Amino acid sequence: MAATDDSRRILLVDDEESLAWSLASRLAKVRSKHSVITANDGASALEIMGRSPIDLLIADIRMPGMSGIDLVLTARKARPDLPVIVMTAFTSADVNRLSPGPFTGFLEKPFEFERLLELVDAAFKPAKVGFSGAISVQTLPDVVQLYVLSTATGVLSIKHHSGQGEIWFDQGRIQHAVKGELVGDEAFYEIMMWSGGEFSMRGGVQTAESTVASNWQELLMESCRRIDERARNESRPSGTGWTQAPPAPEEWEPDPFADFDLRAAQNTAPSSLDVRHNESLEVTMNIKDSLAKLNQIDGFVGAALVDSESGMLLGQEGGGALNLEVAAAGNTEVVKSKRKTMNNLGIKENIEDILISLTKQYHLIRPLRGRPALFFYVALDRSRANLAMARIALADVEKDLMV
Amino acid sequence: MIPKRSLFTLAKVLRGIPILGTLEGTPAARAGLRYGDILISVNGVRTTNVAEYVEAKAARTDGMDIVVFRAGEEQARELVYDELVDTDPQKILDELISLRIGNLDEGSDPTGQA
């Protein structure tokens, strides 16, 4: 679907030369009236734009030297309404809620060529479908993550009906946060808790203030935990949702098999086992409930908690066609081998997680902190997964279980 | 075989950890553990959740003494861990697209993605 009759100049920037060339040649073929130029880094892209104006910029976010975000910000200084499409491996569908303003399309890698084509056509439509900074709370950590991972420098201003906040980035590091009287980590968390608002990013500006102590993973993880906690508190009265505490024993549905076992358990268990001890009953449900939380991750396929030393499968959720037990066994070997290799190499660090990227799935392995023999294993559908958020959710589940 | 929901119910009542399976050729499988057992204690310490399990395991490094609940009674077992076997690092690295090490230095690639 051609957007207009006019010819347009499209600049496609990706440091992977073969990818840039292949996308550009396909684009030029199916939209022959447009001219497509390629560049392999931000500096050459700016040079091309300086020589002759372009109508659409398509850029990869992660590039050596100038990042795609910096490139977009710089290009828009000269031409604020320049439509852009950014290609990234970590954005989520939530980012597409941003509206309205200069056209900004997001393409999650890997993508279908048709999706790029749709965005190109949309960028040239007279009534532009635009994006700016109207967001809901779920997207704010995504937005922060976007700037962190693109090693941005600048200030992100967030407006909320209760006030205004600023988060300063220095080459992707979250350096300073301010919200009213609050500064540093606490200001950051307060801002992340806002349930909607507007944001704008001013690139390139720097501050001498350095108030944020935690790294970005810790900040986002803690933010997600606080958001979760609030959601849990808010959902309690409704009596539904996965954040609910497990039902009291008297509310359980009768199950003949369970009755049989329960009776046997009661008859033979030592007297120290108090069957009416509700608090500890909830604790035991932790593994199941915590793993069930992973169900909320985009593209979730299945998850397991495995003790690779003993070989016990202590938790399991989902799985579908994937045989989690077999997969867990295989990953036990991976974790064991990795630990052995690190011992051999004299590496003292902890393995935070291991990512295995298959054509259609991501497999994420996360050993428990301090007890690397125990690990979580999560399988995600690669076409739908938001890997960064999955890592944060997994860390959150670990925190949940180890409290 | 006990249905999963019933297993969780029973584990709740017993304040134990349900064992959802054992991996072939591992100490747990050799000790005869299987889906449906409920882990009551490790190294003499009650284990009602994963945090307690992790703590109790630390008391021994070469294996674990456990008590499981099966078919109406408690049974004691001993698991002896395998030695970490030698492996070819290159073989593993070939399998891994990226590996993240904890405590990343600032300025290094936080995602490991290209």
Coordinates of all heavy atoms in Angstrom, one line a residue, chain B residues 12-88:
Chain B
K12 N 0.8 -28.6 51.5 CA 0.4 -27.5 52.3 C 0.1 -28.0 53.7 O 0.5 -27.4 54.7 CB -0.8 -26.8 51.8 CG -0.5 -25.8 50.7 CD -1.8 -25.3 50.1 CE -2.2 -24.0 50.8 NZ -3.3 -23.3 50.1
V13 N -0.7 -29.1 53.8 CA -1.1 -29.6 55.1 C 0.2 -30.1 55.8 O 0.3 -29.9 57.1 CB -2.1 -30.8 54.9 CG1 -2.4 -31.5 56.2 CG2 -3.4 -30.2 54.3
L14 N 1.1 -30.8 55.1 CA 2.3 -31.3 55.8 C 3.3 -30.3 56.0 O 4.4 -30.5 56.6 CB 2.9 -32.4 54.9 CG 2.0 -33.7 54.8 CD1 2.6 -34.6 53.8 CD2 1.9 -34.4 56.2
R15 N 3.1 -29.1 55.5 CA 4.1 -28.0 55.5 C 5.5 -28.5 54.9 O 6.5 -28.3 55.5 CB 4.3 -27.5 57.0 CG 3.1 -26.9 57.6 CD 3.2 -26.6 59.0 NE 4.3 -25.6 59.2 CZ 5.0 -25.5 60.3 NH1 4.8 -26.3 61.3 NH2 6.0 -24.6 60.4
G16 N 5.4 -29.1 53.8 CA 6.6 -29.6 53.1 C 6.6 -29.1 51.7 O 5.8 -28.3 51.3
I17 N 7.7 -29.5 51.0 CA 7.9 -29.0 49.6 C 7.5 -30.2 48.7 O 8.1 -31.3 48.8 CB 9.3 -28.6 49.4 CG1 9.6 -27.4 50.3 CG2 9.6 -28.2 47.9 CD1 11.1 -26.9 50.3
P18 N 6.6 -30.0 47.8 CA 6.2 -31.1 46.9 C 7.4 -31.3 45.9 O 7.9 -30.3 45.3 CB 5.0 -30.6 46.2 CG 5.0 -29.1 46.3 CD 5.8 -28.8 47.6
I19 N 7.7 -32.6 45.6 CA 8.7 -32.9 44.6 C 7.9 -33.2 43.3 O 7.1 -34.1 43.3 CB 9.6 -34.1 45.0 CG1 10.4 -33.7 46.3 CG2 10.5 -34.5 43.9 CD1 11.1 -34.8 46.9
L20 N 8.2 -32.4 42.3 CA 7.4 -32.5 41.0 C 8.1 -33.4 40.0 O 7.5 -33.6 39.0 CB 7.3 -31.1 40.4 CG 6.5 -30.1 41.3 CD1 6.5 -28.7 40.8 CD2 5.0 -30.6 41.5
G21 N 9.3 -33.9 40.4 CA 9.9 -34.8 39.5 C 11.4 -34.9 39.9 O 11.9 -34.2 40.7
T22 N 12.1 -35.9 39.3 CA 13.5 -36.0 39.6 C 14.1 -36.2 38.2 O 13.5 -36.8 37.3 CB 13.9 -37.2 40.5 OG1 13.3 -38.4 39.9 CG2 13.4 -37.0 41.9
L23 N 15.3 -35.7 38.1 CA 16.0 -35.8 36.8 C 16.8 -37.1 36.7 O 17.5 -37.5 37.7 CB 16.9 -34.6 36.6 CG 16.2 -33.2 36.8 CD1 17.2 -32.1 36.7 CD2 15.0 -33.0 35.9
E24 N 16.7 -37.7 35.6 CA 17.3 -39.0 35.4 C 18.8 -39.0 35.7 O 19.5 -38.1 35.3 CB 17.1 -39.4 33.9 CG 17.1 -40.9 33.7 CD 16.8 -41.2 32.2 OE1 15.9 -40.6 31.7 OE2 17.5 -42.1 31.7
G25 N 19.3 -40.0 36.4 CA 20.7 -40.2 36.7 C 21.2 -39.3 37.8 O 22.4 -39.2 38.0
T26 N 20.4 -38.5 38.5 CA 20.8 -37.6 39.5 C 20.7 -38.3 40.9 O 20.1 -39.4 41.0 CB 20.0 -36.4 39.5 OG1 18.6 -36.7 39.8 CG2 20.0 -35.6 38.2
P27 N 21.3 -37.7 41.9 CA 21.2 -38.4 43.2 C 19.8 -38.6 43.7 O 19.5 -39.6 44.3 CB 21.9 -37.3 44.1 CG 22.9 -36.6 43.2 CD 22.2 -36.6 41.9
A28 N 18.9 -37.7 43.4 CA 17.5 -37.9 43.8 C 16.9 -39.1 43.2 O 16.2 -39.9 43.8 CB 16.7 -36.6 43.4
A29 N 17.2 -39.3 41.9 CA 16.6 -40.4 41.2 C 17.2 -41.7 41.7 O 16.5 -42.7 41.9 CB 16.9 -40.3 39.7
R30 N 18.5 -41.7 42.0 CA 19.2 -42.9 42.5 C 18.6 -43.3 43.9 O 18.6 -44.4 44.3 CB 20.7 -42.7 42.6 CG 21.4 -42.7 41.3 CD 22.9 -42.9 41.4 NE 23.6 -41.9 42.2 CZ 24.0 -40.7 41.7 NH1 23.9 -40.5 40.4 NH2 24.6 -39.8 42.5
A31 N 18.2 -42.2 44.7 CA 17.7 -42.5 46.0 C 16.2 -42.9 46.0 O 15.6 -43.1 47.0 CB 17.9 -41.2 46.9
G32 N 15.7 -43.0 44.8 CA 14.3 -43.5 44.6 C 13.3 -42.4 44.8 O 12.1 -42.8 44.8
L33 N 13.7 -41.2 44.8 CA 12.6 -40.1 44.9 C 11.9 -40.0 43.6 O 12.4 -40.3 42.6 CB 13.3 -38.8 45.3 CG 14.0 -38.7 46.6 CD1 14.5 -37.2 46.8 CD2 13.2 -39.2 47.7
R34 N 10.6 -39.5 43.7 CA 9.9 -39.4 42.5 C 8.8 -38.4 42.6 O 8.5 -37.9 43.8 CB 9.2 -40.8 42.1 CG 8.3 -41.3 43.3 CD 7.7 -42.6 43.0 NE 6.6 -42.9 43.9 CZ 6.4 -44.1 44.4 NH1 7.1 -45.1 44.0 NH2 5.4 -44.2 45.3
Y35 N 8.1 -38.1 41.6 CA 7.0 -37.2 41.6 C 6.0 -37.6 42.7 O 5.7 -38.8 42.7 CB 6.3 -37.1 40.2 CG 5.0 -36.4 40.3 CD1 4.9 -35.0 40.0 CD2 3.8 -37.1 40.5 CE1 3.7 -34.4 40.1 CE2 2.6 -36.4 40.6 CZ 2.5 -35.0 40.4 OH 1.3 -34.4 40.4
G36 N 5.5 -36.7 43.5 CA 4.5 -37.0 44.5 C 5.0 -37.1 45.9 O 4.3 -37.1 46.8
D37 N 6.4 -37.3 46.0 CA 7.0 -37.3 47.3 C 6.9 -35.8 47.9 O 6.9 -34.9 47.1 CB 8.4 -37.7 47.3 CG 8.5 -39.2 46.9 OD1 7.5 -39.9 47.1 OD2 9.6 -39.6 46.5
I38 N 6.9 -35.7 49.2 CA 6.9 -34.4 49.8 C 8.1 -34.3 50.7 O 8.2 -35.1 51.6 CB 5.6 -34.1 50.5 CG1 4.4 -34.0 49.5 CG2 5.6 -32.8 51.3 CD1 3.1 -34.2 50.1
L39 N 8.9 -33.3 50.5 CA 10.1 -33.1 51.2 C 9.8 -32.5 52.6 O 9.2 -31.4 52.6 CB 11.1 -32.2 50.4 CG 12.5 -32.1 50.9 CD1 13.2 -33.5 50.9 CD2 13.2 -31.1 50.1
I40 N 10.1 -33.2 53.7 CA 9.7 -32.7 55.0 C 10.9 -32.0 55.7 O 10.7 -30.9 56.3 CB 9.2 -33.9 55.9 CG1 8.0 -34.6 55.3 CG2 8.9 -33.4 57.3 CD1 6.8 -33.7 55.2
S41 N 12.1 -32.6 55.5 CA 13.2 -32.0 56.2 C 14.5 -32.3 55.4 O 14.6 -33.3 54.6 CB 13.4 -32.5 57.6 OG 13.8 -33.8 57.7
V42 N 15.5 -31.5 55.6 CA 16.8 -31.6 55.0 C 17.9 -31.5 56.0 O 17.8 -30.5 56.8 CB 17.0 -30.6 53.8 CG1 18.5 -30.6 53.3 CG2 16.1 -30.9 52.7
N43 N 18.7 -32.4 56.2 CA 19.8 -32.4 57.2 C 19.2 -32.1 58.6 O 19.8 -31.3 59.3 CB 20.9 -31.4 56.8 CG 21.5 -31.8 55.5 OD1 21.6 -32.9 55.1 ND2 22.0 -30.8 54.7
G44 N 18.1 -32.7 58.8 CA 17.5 -32.6 60.2 C 16.7 -31.3 60.4 O 16.3 -31.0 61.5
V45 N 16.6 -30.4 59.4 CA 15.9 -29.2 59.6 C 14.6 -29.2 58.7 O 14.6 -29.6 57.6 CB 16.8 -28.0 59.1 CG1 16.1 -26.7 59.2 CG2 18.1 -28.0 59.9
R46 N 13.5 -28.7 59.4 CA 12.3 -28.7 58.6 C 12.4 -27.7 57.4 O 12.9 -26.6 57.6 CB 11.1 -28.2 59.6 CG 10.6 -29.2 60.6 CD 10.0 -30.4 59.9 NE 9.0 -30.1 58.9 CZ 7.7 -30.2 59.1 NH1 7.2 -30.6 60.3 NH2 6.8 -29.9 58.2
T47 N 11.8 -28.1 56.3 CA 11.9 -27.3 55.1 C 10.5 -27.0 54.7 O 9.8 -27.8 54.0 CB 12.7 -27.9 54.0 OG1 12.2 -29.3 53.9 CG2 14.2 -28.0 54.3
T48 N 9.9 -25.8 55.0 CA 8.6 -25.5 54.6 C 8.6 -24.7 53.3 O 7.5 -24.5 52.7 CB 7.8 -24.8 55.7 OG1 8.4 -23.5 55.9 CG2 7.8 -25.6 57.0
N49 N 9.7 -24.1 53.0 CA 9.8 -23.3 51.7 C 11.2 -23.4 51.1 O 12.1 -24.0 51.7 CB 9.3 -21.9 52.0 CG 10.2 -21.2 53.1 OD1 11.4 -21.3 53.0 ND2 9.5 -20.5 54.0
V50 N 11.3 -22.7 50.0 CA 12.6 -22.8 49.3 C 13.8 -22.2 50.1 O 14.9 -22.7 50.1 CB 12.5 -22.2 47.9 CG1 13.8 -22.1 47.2 CG2 11.5 -23.0 47.0
A51 N 13.4 -21.1 50.7 CA 14.5 -20.4 51.5 C 15.0 -21.3 52.6 O 16.2 -21.4 52.8 CB 13.9 -19.1 52.1
E52 N 14.1 -22.0 53.3 CA 14.6 -22.9 54.3 C 15.3 -24.1 53.7 O 16.2 -24.6 54.3 CB 13.3 -23.4 55.1 CG 12.8 -22.3 56.0 CD 11.5 -22.7 56.7 OE1 11.1 -23.9 56.6 OE2 10.9 -21.8 57.4
Y53 N 14.9 -24.5 52.6 CA 15.5 -25.6 51.9 C 17.0 -25.3 51.6 O 17.9 -26.1 51.8 CB 14.7 -26.0 50.6 CG 15.4 -27.0 49.7 CD1 15.3 -28.3 49.9 CD2 16.0 -26.5 48.5 CE1 15.9 -29.3 49.1 CE2 16.6 -27.5 47.7 CZ 16.5 -28.8 47.9 OH 17.1 -29.7 47.1
V54 N 17.1 -24.1 51.0 CA 18.5 -23.6 50.6 C 19.4 -23.5 51.9 O 20.5 -24.0 51.9 CB 18.4 -22.2 50.0 CG1 19.7 -21.6 49.8 CG2 17.7 -22.4 48.6
E55 N 18.8 -23.0 53.0 CA 19.6 -22.9 54.2 C 20.0 -24.3 54.8 O 21.1 -24.5 55.2 CB 18.8 -22.1 55.2 CG 19.6 -21.4 56.2 CD 18.8 -20.5 57.2 OE1 17.8 -19.9 56.7 OE2 19.0 -20.5 58.4
A56 N 19.0 -25.2 54.7 CA 19.2 -26.5 55.3 C 20.3 -27.3 54.5 O 21.1 -28.0 55.1 CB 17.9 -27.3 55.4
K57 N 20.2 -27.1 53.2 CA 21.2 -27.8 52.3 C 22.6 -27.4 52.7 O 23.5 -28.2 52.5 CB 20.9 -27.4 50.9 CG 20.0 -28.3 50.1 CD 20.1 -28.0 48.6 CE 21.4 -28.6 48.0 NZ 21.4 -28.4 46.6
A58 N 22.8 -26.2 53.1 CA 24.2 -25.7 53.3 C 24.9 -26.4 54.4 O 26.1 -26.3 54.5 CB 24.1 -24.2 53.6
A59 N 24.2 -27.1 55.2 CA 24.8 -27.8 56.3 C 25.7 -28.9 55.9 O 26.6 -29.4 56.6 CB 23.7 -28.4 57.3
R60 N 25.5 -29.4 54.7 CA 26.4 -30.5 54.1 C 26.7 -30.1 52.7 O 25.9 -29.7 51.9 CB 25.6 -31.8 54.1 CG 26.0 -32.8 55.2 CD 25.3 -34.1 54.9 NE 26.1 -35.0 54.0 CZ 25.7 -36.2 53.7 NH1 24.6 -36.8 54.3 NH2 26.4 -37.0 52.8
T61 N 28.0 -30.4 52.3 CA 28.3 -30.0 50.9 C 28.4 -31.2 50.0 O 28.4 -31.1 48.8 CB 29.7 -29.3 50.9 OG1 30.6 -30.1 51.6 CG2 29.6 -28.0 51.5
D62 N 28.5 -32.5 50.6 CA 28.7 -33.6 49.7 C 27.4 -34.4 49.5 O 27.4 -35.3 48.7 CB 29.7 -34.6 50.4 CG 29.2 -35.0 51.8 OD1 28.5 -34.3 52.4 OD2 29.6 -36.1 52.2
G63 N 26.3 -34.0 50.1 CA 25.1 -34.6 49.9 C 24.0 -34.1 50.9 O 24.2 -33.0 51.5
M64 N 22.9 -34.8 51.0 CA 21.9 -34.4 52.0 C 21.1 -35.5 52.5 O 20.8 -36.5 51.9 CB 21.0 -33.3 51.3 CG 20.2 -33.7 50.1 SD 19.8 -32.3 49.0 CE 18.2 -32.0 49.6
D65 N 20.8 -35.4 53.9 CA 20.0 -36.4 54.5 C 18.5 -35.8 54.5 O 18.3 -34.7 55.0 CB 20.4 -36.6 56.0 CG 21.8 -37.2 56.0 OD1 21.9 -38.3 55.5 OD2 22.7 -36.6 56.6
I66 N 17.7 -36.5 53.9 CA 16.3 -36.0 53.8 C 15.3 -36.9 54.4 O 15.5 -38.1 54.6 CB 15.9 -35.7 52.3 CG1 16.0 -37.0 51.5 CG2 16.9 -34.7 51.7 CD1 15.3 -36.8 50.2
V67 N 14.1 -36.3 54.7 CA 12.9 -37.1 55.1 C 11.8 -36.7 54.1 O 11.6 -35.5 53.9 CB 12.5 -36.8 56.5 CG1 11.2 -37.5 56.8 CG2 13.6 -37.2 57.5
V68 N 11.3 -37.7 53.5 CA 10.2 -37.4 52.6 C 8.9 -38.1 53.1 O 9.0 -39.1 53.8 CB 10.4 -37.8 51.1 CG1 11.5 -37.0 50.5 CG2 10.8 -39.3 51.0
F69 N 7.8 -37.6 52.7 CA 6.5 -38.2 53.0 C 6.0 -38.9 51.8 O 5.9 -38.3 50.7 CB 5.5 -37.1 53.5 CG 4.2 -37.6 53.9 CD1 3.9 -38.0 55.2 CD2 3.2 -37.8 53.0 CE1 2.7 -38.5 55.6 CE2 1.9 -38.3 53.4 CZ 1.7 -38.6 54.7
R70 N 5.7 -40.2 51.9 CA 5.2 -41.0 50.8 C 4.2 -42.0 51.3 O 4.5 -42.7 52.3 CB 6.3 -41.6 50.0 CG 5.8 -42.4 48.8 CD 6.8 -43.3 48.2 NE 7.9 -42.5 47.5 CZ 8.9 -43.1 46.9 NH1 9.1 -44.4 46.9 NH2 9.8 -42.3 46.4
A71 N 3.1 -42.1 50.7 CA 2.1 -43.1 51.0 C 1.8 -43.2 52.5 O 1.7 -44.3 53.1 CB 2.5 -44.5 50.4
G72 N 1.6 -42.1 53.1 CA 1.2 -42.1 54.5 C 2.3 -42.2 55.5 O 2.0 -42.4 56.7
E73 N 3.5 -42.3 55.1 CA 4.6 -42.4 56.1 C 5.8 -41.6 55.7 O 6.0 -41.3 54.5 CB 4.9 -43.8 56.3 CG 5.4 -44.5 55.1 CD 5.9 -45.9 55.3 OE1 5.5 -46.5 56.3 OE2 6.8 -46.4 54.6
E74 N 6.6 -41.3 56.7 CA 7.8 -40.6 56.5 C 8.9 -41.6 56.2 O 9.0 -42.6 56.9 CB 8.2 -39.7 57.7 CG 7.2 -38.5 57.8 CD 7.6 -37.5 58.9 OE1 8.7 -37.8 59.5 OE2 6.9 -36.6 59.2
Q75 N 9.8 -41.2 55.3 CA 10.9 -42.1 54.9 C 12.2 -41.3 54.9 O 12.2 -40.2 54.3 CB 10.7 -42.8 53.5 CG 9.4 -43.5 53.4 CD 9.2 -44.2 52.1 OE1 10.0 -44.1 51.2 NE2 8.0 -44.8 51.9
A76 N 13.2 -41.8 55.5 CA 14.5 -41.1 55.5 C 15.4 -41.6 54.3 O 15.4 -42.8 54.0 CB 15.2 -41.4 56.8
R77 N 16.0 -40.8 53.6 CA 16.9 -41.1 52.5 C 18.2 -40.3 52.6 O 18.2 -39.2 53.2 CB 16.3 -40.8 51.1 CG 14.9 -41.5 50.9 CD 15.1 -42.9 50.5 NE 13.8 -43.6 50.6 CZ 13.0 -43.9 49.6 NH1 13.4 -43.5 48.4 NH2 11.9 -44.5 49.7
E78 N 19.2 -40.8 52.0 CA 20.5 -40.0 51.8 C 20.8 -39.8 50.4 O 20.8 -40.8 49.6 CB 21.6 -40.7 52.5 CG 22.9 -39.8 52.5 CD 24.1 -40.4 53.1 OE1 24.2 -41.6 53.3 OE2 25.1 -39.6 53.2
L79 N 21.1 -38.6 50.0 CA 21.5 -38.3 48.6 C 22.9 -38.0 48.6 O 23.4 -37.2 49.5 CB 20.7 -37.1 48.1 CG 19.3 -37.3 47.5 CD1 18.3 -38.0 48.5 CD2 18.7 -36.0 47.0
V80 N 23.7 -38.5 47.7 CA 25.1 -38.2 47.6 C 25.3 -37.5 46.3 O 25.0 -38.0 45.2 CB 26.0 -39.5 47.7 CG1 27.5 -39.1 47.6 CG2 25.7 -40.2 49.0
Y81 N 25.9 -36.3 46.4 CA 26.0 -35.5 45.1 C 27.1 -36.1 44.2 O 28.0 -36.7 44.7 CB 26.5 -34.0 45.4 CG 25.5 -33.3 46.3 CD1 25.9 -32.3 47.2 CD2 24.1 -33.5 46.3 CE1 25.1 -31.6 48.0 CE2 23.3 -32.8 47.1 CZ 23.7 -31.9 47.9 OH 22.9 -31.2 48.7
D82 N 27.0 -35.8 42.9 CA 28.0 -36.2 42.0 C 29.1 -35.2 42.0 O 28.9 -34.0 42.3 CB 27.4 -36.2 40.5 CG 26.3 -37.2 40.4 OD1 26.5 -38.3 41.0 OD2 25.3 -36.9 39.8
E83 N 30.3 -35.6 41.7 CA 31.4 -34.7 41.5 C 31.1 -33.8 40.2 O 30.4 -34.3 39.3 CB 32.7 -35.4 41.2 CG 33.2 -36.2 42.4 CD 33.9 -35.4 43.5 OE1 34.7 -34.5 43.1 OE2 33.5 -35.6 44.6
L84 N 31.6 -32.6 40.2 CA 31.4 -31.8 39.0 C 32.3 -32.4 38.0 O 33.5 -32.5 38.2 CB 31.8 -30.3 39.2 CG 30.8 -29.4 39.9 CD1 31.3 -28.1 40.2 CD2 29.5 -29.3 39.1
V85 N 31.8 -32.8 36.8 CA 32.6 -33.5 35.8 C 33.3 -32.5 34.9 O 32.9 -31.4 34.7 CB 31.7 -34.4 34.9 CG1 31.3 -35.6 35.7 CG2 30.6 -33.6 34.4
D86 N 34.4 -32.9 34.4 CA 35.2 -32.1 33.4 C 34.4 -31.9 32.1 O 33.8 -32.9 31.7 CB 36.5 -32.7 33.1 CG 37.5 -32.3 34.2 OD1 37.6 -31.2 34.6 OD2 38.3 -33.2 34.6
T87 N 34.4 -30.7 31.6 CA 33.7 -30.5 30.3 C 34.6 -29.7 29.4 O 35.5 -29.1 29.9 CB 32.4 -29.7 30.6 OG1 32.7 -28.6 31.4 CG2 31.4 -30.6 31.3
D88 N 34.2 -29.7 28.2 CA 34.9 -28.9 27.2 C 34.3 -27.5 27.2 O 33.1 -27.3 26.7 CB 34.8 -29.5 25.8 CG 35.4 -28.7 24.7 OD1 36.0 -27.7 25.1 OD2 35.3 -29.1 23.6

